[in-house]
Structures are given as C-alpha cells and as structure tokens.
Amino acid sequence: MSSYPALAAPQWQHLEALAANEAGFSVAEAFATDPARFEHFSLAAGDLFLDFSKNRMSPAALAGLLDLVRASGFHERRAAKLSGEAINRSENRAVLHTALRAGQAGPAGEVIAAEVAGELERMAVLVEGMRSGIITGATGKPYTDVVNIGIGGSLLGPHMASRALGRYAAGPMRNHFISDPDGCKLRDLMGYLDPETTLVIVASKTFTTLETLVNARAAKAWLSVRLGQGADRHFCGVSARADRMSEFGILPEQQFRMWDWVGGRYSVWSAIGLALALVVGMEHFRAFLAGAKLMDEHFASAEPEANLPVLFALSHVWHASFLGMTAIVNLPYQPRLKLLPAYLQQLEMESLGKRVNHAGEVVAYPVGPLIFGQVGNNAQHSFMQLMHQGLDSCLADFIAVVDDPDAPERLGLANCLAQSRALMVGNAEAMAGEPHRICPGNRPSNTLLLKELSPHILGQLLALYEHKVFVQSLVWDINAYDQWGVELGKQIATQLQAALRGEPTELPLDPSTAGLLKRLGA
Ligand code: F6P
C-alpha cells in the first residue's frame, strides 16, 4: 500500500496538512483578501483562458501543488515522454500521439516523423480525391456519405470533433458513426443511404474488437449485395494490423496505419480522424493538428507556474486528492460540444482510473475522479440541482466560447457565468429562514474560455486535456496509457455470448448470472 507518491512524499504530506488546516477556506473571502485573485489564479495560453480563481484553493495550496509537481520530476518526465521513452511501462511502449501533429519538428525522430507525414499525405490524397469527385465508388458516382464503424477511441474523437466543427462541414460529404453491436444504427442507415455513394471506414487499432467487427461484417454484406466485387472500393480501414485489414478484404491502398505508440483515446490526430477530415476537408483537419501542436509547444516549454495543462491538472489533483471531491463535472456551454463530456470520460477515466502505481503498489490516496457532464444549458434543468444543494463532492469545469456566431444573444454565456457564481456565493444569508431553499455556496469551479470554436482551437483544447492527464498521472505516480481493466469484461462477454446462443459453456457461473441467463432463455 502506497500512502504517498514515492517521489514527492514530503510535498504530498505538506498538502494534506494544509487541506486539513484550511478546511474552512472560503472562496468568496479569498477574493476579499486578495483583490487581484482573479489575475493570480488565471492563465491564458494560445486561444484558451483558464480562470481557476473560484477553486477552493489558497495561495499556499497553489504554491504547495507547484512544489509537488516539481518534486514529481516534471521536467525530466515531460522530456522523456516527448522524446519517445517507453513511459507506458506495463506495455513497454512510447506515448507519442504528439508526433501525429508535430510535423518534421517532432523530437521523436525522423523515422516516426516520416511515417506520420506519409500517412497524412495518403489521407489527404483520399480525402481530396473523394471530396472533389475524382475518386468515385464502384459505379462511378461520387461519395456523399461516410460511415465510421468503431468504438471507444476509434469513434469518440472523430464523432465529437465532427459535431464540434459542424460549421466547417459545408463540403459534399456527411458522416455517420456506428459503435453499438445491436445493428439498429446500421439498419437505420441502410434504410436511406445509397450504397453506390457510401464509404465505410472500419476503425480499430487491434482489428479484433467484437462490436466493430460485427458491424463491419454487416456493412460488408449490405454493400456486397448491391455492388458485388466492387464493394471493396467502398471500404477503408484504419488499424495497427494491416494483416487483419487485408484478411477482412480492405484494399491495401485504402488501408491507413496506426502505431503502437498511439493509444486509442489519443488517436483522433491519426487516420482515425479520417471521417472528420472527409467532412471538413484537409485544410481544416491540418488546422486542427496545428492547434494541438501549439498547445504541445506551450506545454513543452512553459514552467509549471505558467503552464496551462499543469495548472489545470493541479486544480483537479487538489480537489480530487486533498479535498475529497470524487467527481469533476464537464459543462460545455456550446451545444456543438455536446459529445465532449463523453470524449473526456474515455480520455480521463480510461487513463486515470487506476489502482496501482508504477511499482505495482495499491495507492492509498484518491486518484482518477469520476468525469461526467452535458451541455450546461441542459444540465441546469437536470443535475445542477445536486451541485447547488446536494453532495458537496463535485468540481465543476465550465467551458464557454467567447466569439460564437451561433449564439449572438449570448444567453449561454450568461448562464455559464451565473452558474459558476451561484455555486460560489450561494444564498445562505438571504434564505436563512427557509432551509430547504438554501444553497450553501463555496462550491468550486473552473471556467475555460475558448476564443472561438474553430478547428485550430478545438485542437488546442483537446491537447490541453491530454497534457493535463499526463501531469495528473505524474503526480499520482500511475500509468495513464494502459487499460488492462477493460479486458476481463471482454473475455467473459465472449463466453456468455456462446451461452446465449445455446452453446454449452464450461464457464463457472455465479447464481445471479446463471439465473439471468436462464431468464434470457439460454
Ligand atoms: O476500451 C478499450 C479499448 O481498447 C479502447 O482503449 C479503444 O479505444 C477501444 O477499446 C477500441 O479498440 P480498437 O480501436 O482496437 O477497436
């Protein structure tokens, strides 16, 4: 059992003592104490601005957190990650999604840079060929629809980004996303898509994910009936396994490769982003990459006290590990970011939802908070009640867009700032005589402002979160880049699927599962 991260035990113990001594810390009073608190607890980087002044965090806590991140080996470990060291120790892999957007300047070496550039160029040829109508389907018609079949990181990134960048999708193609294996989405699409103008992307790093393969086979059957042998022109594959893509029947020239040093939840920058590029075009996709690169360069060069991912990470570490907050609520106040909470759930909880440190010891301190959320305007008519009067165990992350042509009336911005202020100030005095109406206040939040919702700034935002996760894993001494926890369920599901088909199973069954199988007619 590890009580403190080995590297920074003294700094960790200091922060625990501080949290105990500052148990009555009042955010509202902190502004009275320091009229410049907003300036001292906020930072701009690129086109993003983070206000963390409503955190339940004193200047002493901020100083202690910065000492903690330095003592955790920030400078050395940041350099190691960016240079391609195998920091994913349980799988002995490098973590180089930054190389996907670094261009030739990437520090990970010429070979990787060349491979990445080569695949990006191949992607551009296909995207520009299909969008211009030069590359057509088997019957000579231009493509109009692209169906991305994938799950987790092989779907969430392009799906979320396509919605976020809807204003940039004015081209000739629409995209659709399928992940669930029950086939209803594919059946719906088959009801109105024209096979002659439909491209299917089978996106799977391993090319073994059952949900994806079930849908891919169904799509292949559908297209083969209508297009015969020409159906193979209507498939692209994105995977680390070219052999399996060929085995499925994807033409080599329509296969795009992924690499082991790119985790699924960090892969939108690779050809996993193909469905996005086809609808927004390569110019905007390259801008998306450039935005992430700008944040990479900021992260790689800024000192901790002026480093946006570091400060954002320390806000989350402080509230989760030292103030006992078990959840962080993501509240984008722009409906086009509707899928951002789901994307961040995978990025954050598949990265930080761990129980042992790098040495294999079970950690005895809180790590990996729950992440949930939805578009803020809707959340106000849903779970924000709990945030104001219920459990005091959530940190709220508000995200808003400054220049938003979709919302000239700016009601969303008013709501965003109002919710953040209401959580902080509450109304205890005004409602003193009516306890059921009291909002106690002093509830913490961050507010992240995006100058606008453009490809470049969306790239900055996602890279910010990726680096934030890295800093949290550093401070918590855990591996953010493996995901062994998802394997057991997959293994059992394969066996239960056989049982549900009526096949005999030697699987040892608990009475509950056995009883449920029986009720399901197995
Ligand atoms: O959830 C486990 C996981 O491996 C994710 O990390 C990944 O994004 C997803 O499943 C899909 O995996 P693949 O891209 O190999 O189909």
Side-chain angles (χ1 to χ4, degrees):
M1 184 77 80
S2 168
S3 299
Y4 309 110
L7 277 172
Q11 290 79 4
W12 187 279
Q13 288 170 314
H14 167 67
L15 286 165
E16 282 198 321
L18 207 53
N21 296 337
E22 295 182 346
F25 179 81
S26 157
V27 183
E29 287 170 18
F31 282 104
T33 307
D34 173 11
R37 180 176 170 88
F38 175 71
E39 287 72 26
H40 293 154
F41 282 74
S42 62
L43 182 72
D47 298 293
L48 307 183
F49 176 80
L50 175 67
D51 168 20
F52 59 106
S53 62
K54 295 194 188 83
N55 280 204
R56 240 189 254 163
M57 184 192 291
S58 67
L62 178 55
L65 289 162
L66 288 167
D67 288 343
L68 177 67
V69 76
R70 293 186 191 102
S72 300
F74 171 70
H75 293 86
E76 303 79 19
R77 306 275 288 281
R78 172 178 64 178
K81 173 178 181 285
L82 296 175
S83 63
E85 273 189 34
I87 65 168
N88 175 356
R89 298 181 207 174
S90 72
E91 296 179 298
N92 191 31
R93 288 175 179 172
V95 173
L96 279 173
H97 44 275
T98 48
L100 296 172
R101 62 242 187 172
Q104 292 306 325
E110 289 76 29
V111 171
I112 282 181
E115 286 181 356
V116 167
E119 284 305 282
L120 186 61
E121 188 46 41
R122 292 185 63 240
M123 195 173 151
V125 168
L126 184 104
V127 167
E128 286 151 6
M130 288 189 172
R131 284 169 56 87
S132 65
I134 293 171
I135 298 177
T136 63
T139 60
K141 291 182 181 177
Y143 288 101
T144 58
D145 291 86
V146 53
V147 178
N148 184 101
I149 295 177
I151 200 164
S154 294
L155 167 126
L156 288 167
H159 196 186
M160 178 274 299
S162 298
R163 189 180 185 101
L165 300 177
R167 285 180 45 240
Y168 297 82
M173 297 186 79
R174 297 173 299 182
N175 59 23
H176 315 270
F177 294 86
I178 299 179
S179 56
D180 298 306
D182 61 8
C184 63
K185 180 67 183 285
L186 184 59
R187 272 193 299 277
D188 291 350
L189 289 174
M190 291 193 298
Y192 66 87
L193 290 186
D194 178 353
E196 295 182 64
T197 63
T198 297
L199 175 76
V200 174
I201 299 172
V202 184
S204 177
K205 181 177 177 182
T206 59
F207 225 83
T208 58
T209 303
L210 269 184
E211 296 90 338
T212 299
L213 295 179
V214 163
N215 281 313
R217 291 184 195 116
K220 189 174 182 180
W222 171 56
L223 290 179
S224 300
V225 165
R226 292 286 296 274
L227 301 171
Q229 184 55 39
D232 57 9
R233 284 176 56 175
H234 291 247
F235 278 88
C236 285
V238 185
S239 182
R241 295 298 299 265
D243 55 338
R244 291 174 181 162
M245 286 195 278
S246 299
E247 193 180 321
F248 180 81
I250 296 175
L251 298 170
E253 62 271 26
Q254 297 193 177
Q255 296 180 14
F256 296 90
R257 62 177 302 197
M258 286 176 75
W259 297 270
D260 275 349
W261 39 263
V262 179
R265 53 193 177 273
Y266 297 90
S267 64
V268 66
W269 321 100
S270 70
I272 286 289
L274 184 58
L276 168 66
L278 282 164
V279 297
V280 301
M282 283 309 290
E283 179 192 351
H284 292 315
F285 187 75
R286 290 183 195 277
F288 176 58
L289 296 178
K293 180 180 177 184
L294 181 146
M295 186 53 66
D296 294 345
E297 290 167 346
H298 164 73
F299 174 68
S301 57
E303 284 306 302
E305 62 277 8
N307 194 305
L308 196 59
V310 170
L311 293 174
F312 199 12
L314 293 178
S315 167
H316 286 192
V317 167
W318 175 246
H319 290 89
S321 294
F322 296 96
L323 301 190
M325 297 206 158
T326 53
I328 294 176
V329 187
N330 183 265
L331 296 158
Y333 271 81
Q334 216 303 339
R336 294 186 190 278
L337 291 173
K338 178 178 181 177
L339 299 179
L340 182 65
Y343 175 81
L344 294 177
Q345 283 184 322
Q346 187 199 19
L347 177 64
E348 301 229 20
M349 293 200 277
E350 200 167 73
S351 296
L352 301 171
K354 308 291 166 67
R355 57 189 292 278
V356 298
N357 62 19
H358 284 295
E361 301 158 337
V362 176
V363 296
Y365 45 88
V367 299
L370 285 171
I371 305 292
F372 73 94
Q374 67 171 272
V375 174
N377 290 303
N378 298 330
Q380 293 171 206
H381 301 273
S382 166
F383 58 75
M384 288 306 287
Q385 160 60 37
L386 174 141
M387 302 284 287
H388 287 288
Q389 287 191 324
L391 298 171
D392 182 13
S393 58
C394 300
L395 169 68
D397 281 351
F398 293 95
I399 297 177
V401 178
V402 176
D403 300 328
D404 186 349
D406 287 330
E409 73 291 342
R410 311 191 94 183
L411 172 57
L413 284 176
N415 278 335
C416 179
L417 270 54
Q419 288 296 314
S420 168
R421 172 169 167 73
L423 283 171
M424 178 182 74
V425 298
N427 63 1
E429 279 185 33
M431 296 297 160
E434 299 180 79
H436 61 284
R437 293 184 62 181
I438 289 178
C439 296
N442 206 36
R443 299 197 167 187
S445 66
N446 288 302
T447 300
L448 190 59
L449 297 182
L450 281 57
K451 185 178 179 303
E452 59 179 341
L453 190 49
S454 67
H456 197 276
I457 294 174
L458 182 66
Q460 294 177 40
L461 178 69
L462 303 189
L464 165 67
Y465 272 95
E466 290 180 347
H467 292 306
K468 177 190 76 76
V469 165
F470 167 70
V471 174
Q472 287 171 264
S473 72
L474 194 61
V475 167
W476 284 331
D477 194 26
I478 58 178
N479 181 352
Y481 301 103
D482 58 11
Q483 54 284 323
W484 298 107
V486 301
E487 296 310 318
L488 178 59
K490 290 179 181 178
Q491 290 158 16
I492 297 174
T494 304
Q495 293 156 331
L496 290 182
Q497 196 182 18
L500 283 164
R501 284 198 295 260
E503 296 164 15
T505 169
E506 70 284 352
L507 186 68
L509 289 180
D510 60 277
S512 165
T513 306
L516 291 169
L517 281 173
K518 189 174 178 185
R519 281 191 168 271
L520 291 166

